[in-house]
Amino acid sequence: MRIIILGSGQGSNCKAVLEAASSNLLHSAEIVAVCSDVETSGILEIARNASVPSLFLGPYNFNNKKADETWIKEVKKLNPDLIVLAGFMKVLSHNFIESFGGKIINLHPSLLPSFRGLNAIKQAWDAGVKITGCTVHWVSPVLDSGEIIAQSPVRIMTGDTIESVSAKVHAAEHMLLPTVIAQLVMHLS
Ligand code: GAR
């Protein structure tokens, strides 16, 4: 099962997935490439350090037809069975999503359907909820609204700060994402 990871940021979730793969926790999965829209992103460095092909595919914007077509072409060349969005911070075009219909999952730092979009941890913090968390869901054309695969809750305690909540959400993500990928690999292969 060929998996590619797309991300824009520091790549801590990509690192968790690569570590799970190298510990044989992802069964028959092979992480065939890590792709980013940010040339200097930590996620590409993490891939390089793990000797996984790291590809900067250029800036991405769903409104930019040329960039969208380039991304679709390059990702198709990798022939993925599963595309994992791990901190990919751009909205994908409908064309992109349809080109890889049903094969894209996204990690989101809230308990969807609450707090869609950017800065989800801050949205939850500002709303004063006592339980937040993270979600892995299938990507559909409506942002952060595809079918939920799995969620992990995080309790917000007295004395927490937005920084401590962020750290707890990220720790939960680092367990959830590799677990979901392992389950999907078992199910789909
Ligand atoms: C993660 O918290 C992920 O849930 C979030 O970006 C972070 C990436 O961290 N994604 C989104 O907000 C997508 N809407 P990482 O680069 O350390 O894995």
Side-chain angles (χ1 to χ4, degrees), residues 6-184:
L6 270 49
S8 311
Q10 62 178 359
S12 65
N13 284 286
C14 175
K15 188 163 184 265
V17 173
L18 293 174
E19 283 172 1
S22 67
S23 304
N24 289 324
L25 295 175
L26 300 187
H27 313 291
S28 63
E30 185 193 356
I31 312 298
V32 293
V34 173
C35 306
S36 183
D37 60 326
V38 179
E39 196 166 12
T40 55
S41 57
I43 196 169
L44 290 180
E45 197 180 336
I46 281 169
R48 280 193 293 275
N49 290 341
S51 304
V52 170
S54 61
L55 306 173
F56 167 58
L57 299 184
Y60 182 83
N61 183 326
F62 72 93
N63 276 323
N64 180 332
K65 205 160 180 274
K66 195 157 173 267
D68 192 39
E69 281 170 358
T70 301
W71 271 71
I72 291 171
K73 189 177 83 190
E74 294 302 319
V75 172
K76 273 190 176 159
K77 276 192 208 162
L78 297 165
N79 195 22
D81 298 305
L82 184 69
I83 299 172
V84 176
L85 307 185
F88 188 69
M89 299 311 284
K90 298 288 168 57
V91 176
L92 290 170
S93 72
H94 290 196
N95 194 20
F96 189 107
I97 292 167
E98 275 159 23
S99 300
F100 302 100
K103 288 185 181 174
I104 312 174
I105 61 172
N106 180 46
L107 173 67
H108 185 77
S110 77
L111 293 178
L112 291 172
S114 297
F115 311 122
R116 296 184 172 110
L118 288 176
N119 302 317
I121 298 174
K122 183 168 187 310
Q123 290 185 54
W125 176 260
D126 290 347
V129 298
K130 292 296 166 207
I131 298 179
T132 186
C134 51
T135 301
V136 179
H137 65 94
W138 292 107
V139 170
S140 73
V142 183
L143 183 66
D144 296 333
S145 299
E147 186 190 345
I148 291 170
I149 303 168
Q151 297 183 303
S152 184
V154 166
R155 193 178 286 275
I156 300 180
M157 315 281 277
T158 308
D160 263 328
T161 60
I162 187 163
E163 289 77 20
S164 65
V165 172
S166 298
K168 287 196 275 190
V169 171
H170 290 137
E173 290 185 322
H174 297 161
M175 287 193 282
L176 184 69
L177 186 59
T179 304
V180 168
I181 293 173
Q183 286 168 352
L184 289 176

